[in-house]
Short mmCIF file of all heavy atoms in Angstrom, two decimals:
data_model
loop_
_atom_site.label_atom_id
_atom_site.label_comp_id
_atom_site.label_asym_id
_atom_site.label_seq_id
_atom_site.Cartn_x
_atom_site.Cartn_y
_atom_site.Cartn_z
N PRO G 336 -7.68 14.07 12.16
CA PRO G 336 -8.07 15.19 13.06
C PRO G 336 -8.34 14.69 14.43
O PRO G 336 -8.72 13.57 14.56
CB PRO G 336 -9.30 15.59 12.34
CG PRO G 336 -9.29 15.14 10.97
CD PRO G 336 -8.50 13.83 11.04
N LEU G 337 -7.97 15.47 15.50
CA LEU G 337 -8.12 15.05 16.91
C LEU G 337 -9.62 14.57 17.17
O LEU G 337 -9.83 13.67 17.90
CB LEU G 337 -7.63 16.15 17.85
CG LEU G 337 -7.61 15.90 19.30
CD1 LEU G 337 -6.73 14.64 19.52
CD2 LEU G 337 -7.21 17.07 20.09
N ILE G 338 -10.55 15.30 16.66
CA ILE G 338 -12.02 15.03 16.86
C ILE G 338 -12.23 13.60 16.52
O ILE G 338 -12.76 12.79 17.12
CB ILE G 338 -12.83 15.97 16.19
CG1 ILE G 338 -12.82 17.35 16.79
CG2 ILE G 338 -14.26 15.41 16.28
CD1 ILE G 338 -13.53 18.39 15.93
N GLU G 339 -11.73 13.23 15.17
CA GLU G 339 -11.93 11.78 14.70
C GLU G 339 -11.08 10.79 15.55
O GLU G 339 -11.67 9.78 15.78
CB GLU G 339 -11.52 11.83 13.33
CG GLU G 339 -11.84 10.56 12.58
CD GLU G 339 -11.29 10.53 11.12
OE1 GLU G 339 -11.33 11.55 10.44
OE2 GLU G 339 -10.68 9.49 10.78
N PHE G 340 -10.03 11.15 16.00
CA PHE G 340 -9.16 10.26 16.83
C PHE G 340 -9.86 9.96 18.07
O PHE G 340 -10.00 8.85 18.51
CB PHE G 340 -7.73 10.90 17.08
CG PHE G 340 -6.90 10.10 17.84
CD1 PHE G 340 -6.29 8.99 17.34
CD2 PHE G 340 -6.56 10.43 19.27
CE1 PHE G 340 -5.48 8.16 18.03
CE2 PHE G 340 -5.75 9.56 19.91
CZ PHE G 340 -5.19 8.52 19.31
N VAL G 341 -10.36 10.93 18.86
CA VAL G 341 -11.03 10.60 20.11
C VAL G 341 -12.37 9.97 19.93
O VAL G 341 -12.64 9.03 20.66
CB VAL G 341 -11.10 11.91 21.16
CG1 VAL G 341 -9.66 12.30 21.55
CG2 VAL G 341 -11.95 13.00 20.48
N GLU G 342 -13.14 10.37 18.95
CA GLU G 342 -14.51 9.85 18.90
C GLU G 342 -14.54 8.49 18.21
O GLU G 342 -15.22 7.61 18.57
CB GLU G 342 -15.40 10.76 18.05
CG GLU G 342 -15.98 11.99 18.86
CD GLU G 342 -17.09 12.63 18.26
OE1 GLU G 342 -16.85 13.12 17.16
OE2 GLU G 342 -18.24 12.55 18.90
N ASN G 343 -13.75 8.30 17.13
CA ASN G 343 -13.83 7.07 16.27
C ASN G 343 -12.66 6.06 16.75
O ASN G 343 -12.94 5.03 17.03
CB ASN G 343 -13.76 7.40 14.81
CG ASN G 343 -14.94 8.25 14.45
OD1 ASN G 343 -15.96 8.25 15.00
ND2 ASN G 343 -14.73 8.97 13.40
N TRP G 344 -11.40 6.58 16.69
CA TRP G 344 -10.32 5.66 16.91
C TRP G 344 -10.22 5.26 18.38
O TRP G 344 -10.22 3.97 18.50
CB TRP G 344 -8.98 6.39 16.52
CG TRP G 344 -8.75 6.50 15.13
CD1 TRP G 344 -9.18 7.54 14.31
CD2 TRP G 344 -8.16 5.53 14.27
NE1 TRP G 344 -8.81 7.27 12.96
CE2 TRP G 344 -8.21 6.08 12.92
CE3 TRP G 344 -7.54 4.39 14.37
CZ2 TRP G 344 -7.60 5.41 11.86
CZ3 TRP G 344 -6.97 3.79 13.40
CH2 TRP G 344 -6.92 4.29 12.17
N CYS G 345 -10.25 6.05 19.26
CA CYS G 345 -10.06 5.54 20.64
C CYS G 345 -11.30 4.77 21.13
O CYS G 345 -11.01 3.67 21.72
CB CYS G 345 -9.82 6.73 21.58
SG CYS G 345 -8.26 7.53 21.48
N LEU G 346 -12.43 5.23 20.81
CA LEU G 346 -13.58 4.50 21.28
C LEU G 346 -13.61 3.08 20.50
O LEU G 346 -13.93 2.06 21.16
CB LEU G 346 -14.85 5.19 20.93
CG LEU G 346 -15.00 6.55 21.81
CD1 LEU G 346 -16.39 7.18 21.51
CD2 LEU G 346 -14.80 6.31 23.33
N GLY G 347 -13.29 3.07 19.24
CA GLY G 347 -13.21 1.80 18.56
C GLY G 347 -12.21 0.85 19.00
O GLY G 347 -12.46 -0.35 19.16
N MET G 348 -10.99 1.43 19.28
CA MET G 348 -9.93 0.51 19.77
C MET G 348 -10.25 -0.04 21.19
O MET G 348 -9.92 -1.14 21.38
CB MET G 348 -8.57 1.37 19.76
CG MET G 348 -7.94 1.58 18.44
SD MET G 348 -6.39 2.33 18.46
CE MET G 348 -6.70 3.91 19.21
N ASN G 349 -10.85 0.66 21.86
CA ASN G 349 -11.32 0.21 23.25
C ASN G 349 -12.30 -0.95 23.02
O ASN G 349 -12.15 -1.95 23.64
CB ASN G 349 -11.90 1.28 24.07
CG ASN G 349 -12.33 0.75 25.45
OD1 ASN G 349 -11.50 0.41 26.30
ND2 ASN G 349 -13.64 0.66 25.72
N SER G 350 -13.28 -0.77 22.14
CA SER G 350 -14.28 -1.82 21.88
C SER G 350 -13.55 -3.17 21.24
O SER G 350 -13.98 -4.23 21.61
CB SER G 350 -15.25 -1.36 20.86
OG SER G 350 -15.99 -0.36 21.31
N ASP G 351 -12.44 -2.90 20.52
CA ASP G 351 -11.78 -3.97 19.92
C ASP G 351 -10.67 -4.60 20.78
O ASP G 351 -9.96 -5.57 20.37
CB ASP G 351 -11.18 -3.60 18.55
CG ASP G 351 -12.18 -3.12 17.54
OD1 ASP G 351 -13.33 -3.64 17.66
OD2 ASP G 351 -11.89 -2.54 16.52
N GLY G 352 -10.54 -4.11 21.99
CA GLY G 352 -9.54 -4.53 22.87
C GLY G 352 -8.05 -4.30 22.49
O GLY G 352 -7.19 -5.00 22.85
N LEU G 353 -7.85 -3.21 21.82
CA LEU G 353 -6.52 -2.73 21.33
C LEU G 353 -5.98 -1.65 22.20
O LEU G 353 -6.69 -1.07 22.91
CB LEU G 353 -6.64 -2.28 19.88
CG LEU G 353 -7.34 -3.14 18.79
CD1 LEU G 353 -7.46 -2.48 17.50
CD2 LEU G 353 -6.35 -4.43 18.64
N LEU G 354 -4.68 -1.59 22.08
CA LEU G 354 -4.01 -0.50 22.83
C LEU G 354 -3.59 0.56 21.87
O LEU G 354 -3.49 0.25 20.68
CB LEU G 354 -2.77 -1.04 23.59
CG LEU G 354 -3.05 -1.95 24.74
CD1 LEU G 354 -1.72 -2.48 25.31
CD2 LEU G 354 -3.66 -1.13 25.87
N VAL G 355 -3.24 1.77 22.32
CA VAL G 355 -2.56 2.84 21.52
C VAL G 355 -1.08 2.91 21.90
O VAL G 355 -0.75 2.99 22.97
CB VAL G 355 -3.31 4.18 21.95
CG1 VAL G 355 -2.83 5.30 21.06
CG2 VAL G 355 -4.72 4.12 21.92
N GLY G 356 -0.26 2.89 20.72
CA GLY G 356 1.07 2.99 20.89
C GLY G 356 1.45 4.57 20.63
O GLY G 356 1.05 5.10 19.61
N ILE G 357 2.05 5.10 21.58
CA ILE G 357 2.29 6.59 21.56
C ILE G 357 3.75 7.00 21.28
O ILE G 357 4.67 6.43 22.00
CB ILE G 357 1.84 7.24 22.86
CG1 ILE G 357 0.52 7.00 23.13
CG2 ILE G 357 2.14 8.75 22.90
CD1 ILE G 357 -0.55 7.54 22.21
N ASN G 358 3.91 7.67 20.25
CA ASN G 358 5.23 8.30 19.81
C ASN G 358 6.40 7.23 19.88
O ASN G 358 7.46 7.34 20.52
CB ASN G 358 5.69 9.50 20.73
CG ASN G 358 5.05 10.73 20.23
OD1 ASN G 358 4.44 10.83 19.09
ND2 ASN G 358 5.09 11.79 20.94
N PHE G 359 6.09 6.02 19.28
CA PHE G 359 7.08 4.96 19.19
C PHE G 359 8.42 5.49 18.52
O PHE G 359 8.21 6.34 17.67
CB PHE G 359 6.56 3.72 18.46
CG PHE G 359 5.79 2.77 19.32
CD1 PHE G 359 5.00 3.14 20.31
CD2 PHE G 359 5.95 1.49 19.07
CE1 PHE G 359 4.38 2.20 21.14
CE2 PHE G 359 5.34 0.51 19.90
CZ PHE G 359 4.45 0.96 20.89
N ASP G 360 9.52 5.05 18.92
CA ASP G 360 10.69 5.41 18.20
C ASP G 360 11.07 4.39 17.04
O ASP G 360 10.42 3.47 16.92
CB ASP G 360 11.89 5.64 19.13
CG ASP G 360 12.23 4.30 19.88
OD1 ASP G 360 11.99 3.16 19.45
OD2 ASP G 360 12.90 4.46 20.99
N SER G 361 12.15 4.58 16.46
CA SER G 361 12.55 3.73 15.30
C SER G 361 12.78 2.33 15.81
O SER G 361 13.00 1.33 14.98
CB SER G 361 13.75 4.31 14.61
OG SER G 361 14.78 4.50 15.52
N HIS G 362 12.97 2.08 17.00
CA HIS G 362 13.15 0.63 17.58
C HIS G 362 11.85 0.06 18.07
O HIS G 362 11.80 -0.96 18.78
CB HIS G 362 14.15 0.69 18.79
CG HIS G 362 15.45 1.26 18.50
ND1 HIS G 362 16.35 0.67 17.67
CD2 HIS G 362 15.97 2.47 18.83
CE1 HIS G 362 17.45 1.47 17.47
NE2 HIS G 362 17.24 2.56 18.25
N LEU G 363 10.76 0.81 17.73
CA LEU G 363 9.38 0.38 18.05
C LEU G 363 9.24 0.30 19.57
O LEU G 363 8.53 -0.56 20.11
CB LEU G 363 8.85 -0.89 17.43
CG LEU G 363 9.00 -0.95 15.89
CD1 LEU G 363 8.45 -2.18 15.40
CD2 LEU G 363 8.38 0.26 15.26
N PHE G 364 9.88 1.36 20.25
CA PHE G 364 9.78 1.41 21.72
C PHE G 364 8.90 2.67 22.02
O PHE G 364 9.34 3.76 21.48
CB PHE G 364 11.15 1.55 22.26
CG PHE G 364 11.22 1.48 23.71
CD1 PHE G 364 10.95 0.40 24.45
CD2 PHE G 364 11.73 2.75 24.34
CE1 PHE G 364 11.08 0.37 25.82
CE2 PHE G 364 11.77 2.71 25.71
CZ PHE G 364 11.48 1.64 26.51
N GLY G 365 7.90 2.59 22.74
CA GLY G 365 7.11 3.74 23.13
C GLY G 365 6.10 3.43 24.19
O GLY G 365 6.07 2.27 24.75
N TYR G 366 5.25 4.35 24.40
CA TYR G 366 4.24 4.27 25.56
C TYR G 366 3.06 3.45 25.07
O TYR G 366 2.51 3.73 23.97
CB TYR G 366 3.86 5.56 26.04
CG TYR G 366 3.13 5.59 27.35
CD1 TYR G 366 3.72 5.68 28.64
CD2 TYR G 366 1.74 5.61 27.26
CE1 TYR G 366 3.03 5.68 29.76
CE2 TYR G 366 0.97 5.66 28.51
CZ TYR G 366 1.63 5.63 29.73
OH TYR G 366 1.03 5.64 30.93
N GLU G 367 2.53 2.53 25.85
CA GLU G 367 1.44 1.73 25.60
C GLU G 367 0.28 2.22 26.41
O GLU G 367 0.35 2.25 27.61
CB GLU G 367 1.55 0.29 25.66
CG GLU G 367 2.79 -0.40 24.86
CD GLU G 367 2.99 -1.88 25.20
OE1 GLU G 367 2.23 -2.46 25.96
OE2 GLU G 367 4.01 -2.29 24.70
N ALA G 368 -0.72 2.75 25.79
CA ALA G 368 -1.92 3.41 26.48
C ALA G 368 -3.19 2.71 26.22
O ALA G 368 -3.49 2.23 25.10
CB ALA G 368 -2.02 4.83 26.15
N GLU G 369 -4.06 2.66 27.28
CA GLU G 369 -5.48 2.22 27.11
C GLU G 369 -6.14 3.39 26.41
O GLU G 369 -6.00 4.63 26.80
CB GLU G 369 -6.11 2.08 28.54
CG GLU G 369 -5.65 0.83 29.31
CD GLU G 369 -6.10 -0.52 28.78
OE1 GLU G 369 -7.03 -0.54 27.92
OE2 GLU G 369 -5.46 -1.45 29.12
N PRO G 370 -6.91 3.05 25.29
CA PRO G 370 -7.52 4.15 24.49
C PRO G 370 -8.41 5.14 25.37
O PRO G 370 -8.34 6.37 25.19
CB PRO G 370 -8.36 3.48 23.50
CG PRO G 370 -7.82 2.02 23.43
CD PRO G 370 -7.12 1.76 24.76
N LEU G 371 -9.25 4.61 26.30
CA LEU G 371 -10.20 5.51 27.05
C LEU G 371 -9.34 6.33 27.94
O LEU G 371 -9.63 7.56 28.25
CB LEU G 371 -11.19 4.77 27.80
CG LEU G 371 -12.18 4.03 26.81
CD1 LEU G 371 -13.21 3.35 27.70
CD2 LEU G 371 -12.69 4.89 25.72
N GLU G 372 -8.26 5.85 28.57
CA GLU G 372 -7.41 6.58 29.48
C GLU G 372 -6.69 7.73 28.73
O GLU G 372 -6.67 8.80 29.28
CB GLU G 372 -6.33 5.79 30.16
CG GLU G 372 -6.89 4.68 31.09
CD GLU G 372 -7.56 5.16 32.34
OE1 GLU G 372 -7.30 6.35 32.71
OE2 GLU G 372 -8.21 4.51 32.99
N LEU G 373 -6.32 7.45 27.47
CA LEU G 373 -5.69 8.51 26.60
C LEU G 373 -6.81 9.55 26.31
O LEU G 373 -6.42 10.75 26.34
CB LEU G 373 -5.13 7.83 25.27
CG LEU G 373 -4.77 8.86 24.29
CD1 LEU G 373 -3.63 9.71 24.82
CD2 LEU G 373 -4.36 8.09 22.97
N CYS G 374 -7.99 9.13 26.04
CA CYS G 374 -9.06 10.06 25.74
C CYS G 374 -9.23 11.08 26.94
O CYS G 374 -9.25 12.34 26.77
CB CYS G 374 -10.39 9.31 25.53
SG CYS G 374 -10.88 9.40 23.89
N LEU G 375 -9.22 10.51 28.19
CA LEU G 375 -9.44 11.32 29.39
C LEU G 375 -8.21 12.25 29.54
O LEU G 375 -8.49 13.41 29.91
CB LEU G 375 -9.56 10.48 30.60
CG LEU G 375 -10.86 9.65 30.73
CD1 LEU G 375 -10.92 8.83 31.98
CD2 LEU G 375 -12.17 10.49 30.71
N ASP G 376 -7.07 11.79 29.26
CA ASP G 376 -5.88 12.67 29.33
C ASP G 376 -5.93 13.85 28.32
O ASP G 376 -5.62 14.96 28.57
CB ASP G 376 -4.52 11.97 29.25
CG ASP G 376 -4.29 11.06 30.35
OD1 ASP G 376 -4.82 11.31 31.47
OD2 ASP G 376 -3.42 10.09 30.21
N ILE G 377 -6.45 13.56 27.18
CA ILE G 377 -6.58 14.55 26.14
C ILE G 377 -7.68 15.49 26.54
O ILE G 377 -7.55 16.84 26.40
CB ILE G 377 -6.90 13.95 24.71
CG1 ILE G 377 -5.63 13.21 24.16
CG2 ILE G 377 -7.38 15.01 23.68
CD1 ILE G 377 -5.84 12.41 22.95
N ILE G 378 -8.82 15.09 27.06
CA ILE G 378 -9.84 15.97 27.47
C ILE G 378 -9.40 16.89 28.56
O ILE G 378 -9.63 18.10 28.59
CB ILE G 378 -11.13 15.17 28.02
CG1 ILE G 378 -11.81 14.48 26.76
CG2 ILE G 378 -12.15 16.01 28.69
CD1 ILE G 378 -12.91 13.43 27.04
N ARG G 379 -8.60 16.25 29.58
CA ARG G 379 -7.99 17.14 30.69
C ARG G 379 -7.15 18.30 30.05
O ARG G 379 -7.19 19.42 30.56
CB ARG G 379 -7.26 16.25 31.61
CG ARG G 379 -8.04 15.78 32.82
CD ARG G 379 -7.12 15.13 33.91
NE ARG G 379 -6.59 13.86 33.50
CZ ARG G 379 -7.21 12.71 33.55
NH1 ARG G 379 -8.46 12.62 33.94
NH2 ARG G 379 -6.59 11.66 33.10
#
């Protein structure tokens, strides 16, 4: 659920120094986002 994603996943990944991979394709090619920046984009 989006609520769980923004509250738990994004905040947790930021704390752990991880990035979010967005809509990767079958070649594992996709957008790499900072979790908090993604959260702000979702909020906007």
